[in-house]
Amino acid sequence: MSAPEASSDASAVGPFTARTGLLIALVGVFAFCALAVLGAYAPDLRGGDNGGAHALSRSAIGYAGIVRALKLAGEPVLVNRAPTQGSKGAGLMVVTPSPAADEGSVTGLGFSGPVLVVLPKWFAPPDPRHRGWVGEGMLIEPAILPKTALMADAGLARARGVLRPVLRAVAGPFTLGARLAEGPVDRLQTLVPKGWRSVLVDQTGATVLARDPNKPIFLLTDPDLLNTQGLKNLDTLGSALTLLDALRAGDGPIIFDVRLNGLGRERSILRLLFEPPFLAVTLCLAVAVALAGFQAACRFGPIRRTPRALALGKEALVDNSAALIRLARREPHMGGRYTLLVRELAARAVGAPRTLTGDSLVAFLDRLGEQRGAIGRLSTLGEEARLASDRDRLTAAARKLFRWRLEMTRERG
């Protein structure tokens, strides 16, 4: 094998074999599909145990403890992250909003049944040593919040020290005079009713649970009556279960909504692609792409080489010249030139005298054509080609001239 042949064979071999290329393509397709699915369901994959004050948090200020307690007690309980649809008002929705939340954000959740809003109280930084834990908490000051916030508008007050409050019912849905004995509560948070109706009060008459007189929205002032650090006492746990059961409408579930804590799951176009009824369309597209890839991978017939950008040879030269004439729109003006070419070829083929030129040569060829039985006369056909005004007429005249030449030279009978 010569050196040029060896170099051409070496250049024809790619850096990867066909099997390796196919494996790389499959890994790329799988990675892309996995990325799309994870991007669509990323909010669902987040556990939410970030130490915040919500139902997915197991920290001291979280409410995962009361959720677990309700499940162990056999009560229907849900942690909701999606918009509620078709609510008939059964059950109870528990909302643990951020300090800056207002009443509009609560009513915008779309639940028509009773809603228990638990006001925040503590700001606790995350513990860097344990994920989901928090450090020592600090009291939130309502004065620094917007005036529209529920916490700033409620007129909050805080007791000094650690108390064991006993809550007394002054309005429904509790039985009037009913009492709930709580465990130790650090700096009990109460409110002065401003447009709210008192439902539960402590020994001093300060309101701990209030109700909106126009809507079934209840306001619990102190989160330590429901959160994990409060439920370490059995008295607080029993009171919390009684409180939630009394506020629940019918036998509906107790729903802990975490959308106001930034853990909501909104609908997206990407998620729709992987859920019925659009899942069928996605699967059909995947199968179509797979079949197209299979057809492209399974080659049939010889490899079709890419032609040269500039072809070689006389044929390419003629084609390029014709293309230039066509581009310049000079085709109708080529009839006279072609007539001269036919005349010279015919004269050379029949052995016309060299002294004959111009019209005398044309007359000689016309007389010879009549003797040989040629169809048409060169003078007539040449004039027709010269006067052709478009491409079609020029083509017809050129064909007649070509046939006349063949008859004169005996190339065709």
Side-chain angles (χ1 to χ4, degrees):
M1 180 181 294
S2 62
E5 293 177 348
S7 62
S8 62
D9 292 343
S11 62
V13 179
F16 302 107
T17 62
R19 181 178 300 177
T20 304
L22 179 60
L23 181 61
I24 293 175
L26 292 177
V27 171
V29 171
F30 175 78
F32 175 78
C33 295
L35 179 63
V37 174
L38 291 176
Y41 291 95
D44 294 342
L45 299 177
R46 292 184 299 176
D49 188 13
N50 55 7
H54 51 79
L56 296 175
S57 172
R58 294 180 294 175
S59 67
I61 61 174
Y63 299 89
I66 188 63
V67 173
R68 181 171 176 80
L70 288 168
K71 291 181 179 179
L72 293 176
E75 299 291 344
V77 59
L78 299 172
V79 178
N80 181 61
R81 305 174 70 168
T84 55
Q85 297 179 355
S87 172
K88 297 182 180 180
L92 171 68
M93 176 176 283
V94 181
V95 183
T96 55
S98 62
D102 55 12
E103 189 173 353
S105 61
V106 175
T107 56
L109 295 177
F111 188 75
S112 59
V115 179
L116 175 62
V117 182
V118 184
L119 290 181
K121 177 181 177 182
W122 301 103
F123 170 75
D127 189 342
R129 297 170 297 178
H130 301 89
R131 182 179 178 181
W133 292 20
V134 293
E136 184 177 356
M138 299 177 290
L139 291 173
I140 300 174
E141 295 298 332
I144 65 175
L145 301 176
K147 295 183 179 180
T148 57
L150 274 172
M151 189 173 178
D153 187 55
L156 295 179
R158 295 186 177 118
R160 295 183 179 180
V162 179
L163 303 176
R164 298 180 65 95
V166 177
L167 306 183
R168 178 172 53 89
V170 295
F174 296 91
T175 303
L176 296 181
R179 296 178 179 272
L180 298 177
E182 304 287 347
V185 178
D186 184 15
R187 284 167 284 189
L188 178 67
Q189 184 171 268
T190 59
L191 62 84
V192 177
K194 293 182 179 180
W196 296 84
R197 184 182 303 169
S198 299
V199 177
L200 291 177
V201 297
D202 64 358
Q203 301 94 317
T204 64
T207 301
V208 176
L209 179 67
R211 175 177 180 174
D212 190 314
N214 302 317
K215 296 181 287 290
I217 298 179
F218 296 87
L219 199 65
L220 183 64
T221 60
D222 201 306
D224 291 340
L225 302 179
L226 283 183
N227 60 22
T228 302
Q229 71 176 355
L231 297 187
K232 64 183 179 182
N233 184 274
L234 293 180
D235 292 337
T236 305
L237 174 60
S239 299
L241 295 176
T242 302
L243 172 67
L244 296 176
D245 184 67
L247 297 181
R248 182 174 57 169
D251 296 330
I254 300 176
I255 305 171
F256 287 83
D257 196 279
V258 294
R259 283 176 288 170
L260 296 184
N261 304 101
L263 298 172
R265 186 188 69 185
E266 302 296 335
R267 298 181 66 87
S268 66
I269 296 178
L270 187 59
R271 185 190 298 272
L272 289 177
L273 295 177
F274 300 102
E275 295 179 352
F278 299 102
L279 178 60
V281 179
T282 304
L283 294 178
C284 290
L285 290 177
V287 172
V289 171
L291 291 176
F294 177 76
Q295 183 182 12
C298 299
R299 182 185 301 276
F300 59 93
I303 299 177
R304 189 172 185 179
R305 302 297 182 182
T306 303
R308 290 176 55 90
L310 298 176
L312 301 177
K314 296 180 180 179
E315 183 179 357
L317 181 60
V318 172
D319 291 339
N320 292 337
S321 300
L324 288 175
I325 295 172
R326 187 182 305 113
L327 183 63
R329 298 181 180 180
R330 300 291 297 177
E331 291 174 320
H333 303 280
M334 300 298 293
R337 297 278 183 173
Y338 185 69
T339 302
L340 294 178
L341 176 63
V342 171
R343 187 187 70 180
E344 295 299 327
L345 292 176
R348 187 183 306 171
V350 300
R354 294 179 179 273
T355 57
L356 296 178
T357 58
D359 294 339
S360 58
L361 180 58
V362 172
F364 173 78
L365 292 175
D366 285 343
R367 291 193 302 270
L368 185 61
E370 292 176 358
Q371 295 174 5
R372 295 188 178 187
I375 300 177
R377 296 168 59 88
L378 177 60
S379 57
T380 304
L381 297 178
E383 187 68 14
E384 181 181 350
R386 188 180 65 82
L387 297 177
S389 59
D390 54 36
R391 181 179 179 182
D392 294 335
R393 294 181 180 180
L394 176 62
T395 303
R399 286 176 179 174
K400 294 178 181 179
L401 285 170
F402 180 73
R403 182 179 178 183
W404 177 87
R405 182 176 68 83
L406 294 180
E407 293 176 348
M408 289 291 294
T409 58
R410 303 297 186 182
E411 297 179 38
R412 185 181 66 181

